[in-house]
Amino acid sequence: MKISLSQVAVGIKEYVIMTLGMFMYAFGWVACIIPAGGMGGGATGLSMLLNAVFPALSIGTFVFIINALLLIIAGFIIGWNFGIKTIYCIIVLSIAILPIFGLNGMQLYAAEVSGLTYEKVSPRIADTAKMMWSIYVVLTASEVVILWLCGMDMFDAVCHSFSTIATGGFSTHNNSLEYYDSAAIHYTVTFFMFVSGINFVMLIYLLRGKVRNFVQDEELRWYSVAVMVFAVMLTVGLYIARPGWTGMHMERAFRDSIFTVISAMTSTGYTISDYMYWPVVAWVVIFFLMLTGACAGSTAGGIKWVRLAIILKNGVAEFQRRIHPNAIIPVKLNEKNVPQQTINNIMAFLIFYIFIIAVTVVIFCASGVNFDESIGAAVSAIGNVGISIGQFGPAGTYAEFPVVAK
């Protein structure tokens, strides 16, 4: 495909405009909003208001929640260019512009990370951003090549790779990756979905040869064990049930199970099998995985396993404190004590997350959607998962969703 000079000129014009826009944004904060003690507009301003009402959650957390749906819509409409331009704007703002005004780019980095804290893997935020960007590009390019070698045409390989690494899940076919009856393609996408659910900081450690940091990360262990446990559970269930609509054998049962588990957990939303024909208990497992999410610092949605791990550990610690009232029993993650404020923030996050789901379910039910499908659609929407249950499951779409609910 040839690129004309006019296309190059348009591309240069877009990036010049984005650069000027980031400069104006930073100047507005430094010259107007910060000196006047004012409040920003859009999602940032609304997040600041919500933070004043619910101080347990940071402004960055509210910004993430509000922008989640907007980002998915933009990614669907604009595609891969959206990711590249977003990364460009973040890098330009944090590296080139904010330092001019004496601001620290790490503040922006901290707001963009979806975990409990952020890890500074490099002395300069510019180096961290470049490494993350490089990993993202390398993973995408690698999947494109492997899918193409497995028999997928280049156009579909590019589209599905873009959607896999971003855990977006949009396919070029109505029946998603079930369109390709290829174990090689299914396992390839499964692997890259799993990798995309890992904290990118851990991938940087792995790239630098710090295998010990990678292997000993507690959240990664929770995530990996959960994938295998739930995949084995569904595999056994499917093999025993043997649905009459398919000649189910052990390999196919495992492939369908591990693919669906990782797709739901990473909020990718791809499917290779209609799980609405599976035993009802499998729906419960998939519904739970839609809530959990993958690792913090990844492209996945959901609650994240680091929060779930700390909540579970805190529950065990509280039980032990009841038995031994005078004992000092800290909650630890990666052999470090978790501050009580962090635990409180997680509890507030979970309450707020569930509250939003509950309100969404009420709206869906009031719009005429039945209760089961309302819960599935609400969890899918809030967690940016895509897949759901009932008529909005793998074989359905949201085309018939009530206008108000949409």
Side-chain angles (χ1 to χ4, degrees):
M1 181 179 65
K2 295 183 178 180
I3 300 177
S4 64
L5 291 177
S6 61
Q7 290 175 314
V8 174
V10 170
I12 294 175
K13 179 181 177 181
E14 288 180 351
Y15 280 89
V16 170
I17 292 174
M18 285 190 292
T19 303
L20 291 175
M22 289 298 99
F23 185 88
M24 293 172 62
Y25 172 81
F27 180 79
W29 272 94
V30 174
C32 303
I33 296 178
I34 294 178
M39 179 175 293
T44 303
L46 180 58
S47 298
M48 293 171 73
L49 283 173
L50 291 173
N51 175 255
V53 180
F54 304 100
L57 292 179
S58 67
I59 295 175
T61 301
F62 283 116
V63 170
F64 171 77
I65 295 173
I66 294 171
N67 279 325
L69 183 58
L70 297 177
L71 290 174
I72 291 298
I73 293 174
F76 174 64
I77 295 174
I78 305 174
W80 172 249
N81 285 333
F82 169 72
I84 291 293
K85 291 175 181 177
T86 300
I87 293 172
Y88 172 80
C89 289
I90 291 174
I91 293 175
V92 168
L93 180 64
S94 60
I95 299 173
I97 297 178
L98 291 182
I100 295 176
F101 300 105
L103 298 179
N104 186 0
M106 284 304 295
Q107 296 172 357
L108 178 63
Y109 175 60
E112 290 295 322
V113 175
S114 58
L116 307 179
T117 59
Y118 60 89
E119 296 186 56
K120 193 173 182 179
V121 296
S122 176
R124 299 179 59 201
I125 182 62
D127 296 333
T128 301
K130 289 175 183 177
M131 284 185 286
M132 289 187 175
W133 187 86
S134 300
I135 290 174
Y136 197 95
V137 171
V138 169
L139 287 175
T140 303
S142 300
E143 186 179 6
V144 169
V145 173
I146 296 174
L147 289 178
W148 178 70
L149 292 176
C150 290
M152 187 180 287
D153 65 75
M154 182 56 69
F155 176 77
D156 277 6
V158 171
C159 292
H160 286 91
S161 297
F162 287 170
S163 192
T164 300
I165 306 304
T167 61
F170 292 103
S171 176
T172 54
H173 303 284
N174 288 336
N175 56 344
S176 192
L177 285 172
E178 189 177 1
Y179 176 86
Y180 292 97
D181 188 17
S182 167
I185 290 176
H186 293 168
Y187 283 122
T188 297
V189 176
T190 300
F191 171 77
F192 281 99
M193 284 194 299
F194 177 80
V195 172
S196 299
I198 298 174
N199 188 334
F200 269 58
V201 172
M202 294 300 110
L203 295 179
I204 291 176
Y205 283 146
L206 186 62
L207 183 65
R208 288 181 162 185
K210 297 181 179 180
V211 180
R212 183 176 180 181
N213 291 27
F214 180 83
V215 174
Q216 292 187 347
D217 182 65
E218 198 163 341
E219 183 188 22
L220 178 58
R221 293 203 298 264
W222 277 82
Y223 170 54
S224 303
V225 170
V227 167
M228 292 310 303
V229 168
F230 288 112
V232 170
M233 285 175 55
L234 291 183
T235 300
V236 173
L238 288 179
Y239 188 74
I240 293 175
R242 285 184 173 271
W245 57 275
T246 181
M248 184 67 67
H249 51 83
M250 182 59 77
E251 187 278 326
R252 181 70 201 202
F254 175 76
R255 190 200 319 171
D256 288 357
S257 298
I258 194 168
F259 187 99
T260 303
V261 164
I262 296 177
S263 178
M265 191 180 292
T266 60
S267 72
T268 306
Y270 280 140
T271 57
I272 60 173
S273 177
D274 188 352
Y275 52 75
M276 294 309 299
Y277 288 95
W278 295 4
V280 177
V281 67
W283 304 354
V284 177
V285 172
I286 295 171
F287 178 81
F288 172 74
L289 296 177
M290 289 165 59
L291 281 169
T292 65
C295 296
S298 70
T299 58
I303 295 172
K304 304 296 190 302
W305 276 102
V306 64
R307 294 190 178 96
L308 296 174
I310 291 177
I311 288 297
L312 291 173
K313 288 189 172 189
N314 186 60
V316 173
E318 285 294 336
F319 181 76
Q320 292 175 335
R321 292 183 191 117
R322 295 290 180 180
I323 300 176
H324 309 286
N326 297 324
I328 299 176
I329 305 174
V331 176
K332 292 189 175 184
L333 185 75
N334 292 328
E335 300 181 354
K336 297 179 181 179
N337 291 346
V338 179
Q340 186 60 44
Q341 182 59 46
T342 300
I343 298 175
N344 294 340
N345 290 344
I346 294 174
M347 294 297 296
F349 174 87
L350 288 177
I351 292 172
F352 193 64
Y353 195 90
I354 295 171
F355 174 75
I356 295 177
I357 291 175
V359 171
T360 308
V361 170
V362 171
I363 295 174
F364 287 170
C365 288
S367 303
V369 183
N370 68 52
F371 184 69
D372 294 345
E373 291 175 341
S374 292
I375 294 179
V379 172
S380 180
I382 303 304
N384 296 316
V385 184
I387 57 175
S388 185
I389 58 176
Q391 64 173 323
F392 309 117
T397 68
Y398 288 92
E400 302 302 322
F401 218 47
V403 175
V404 175
K406 287 182 181 178

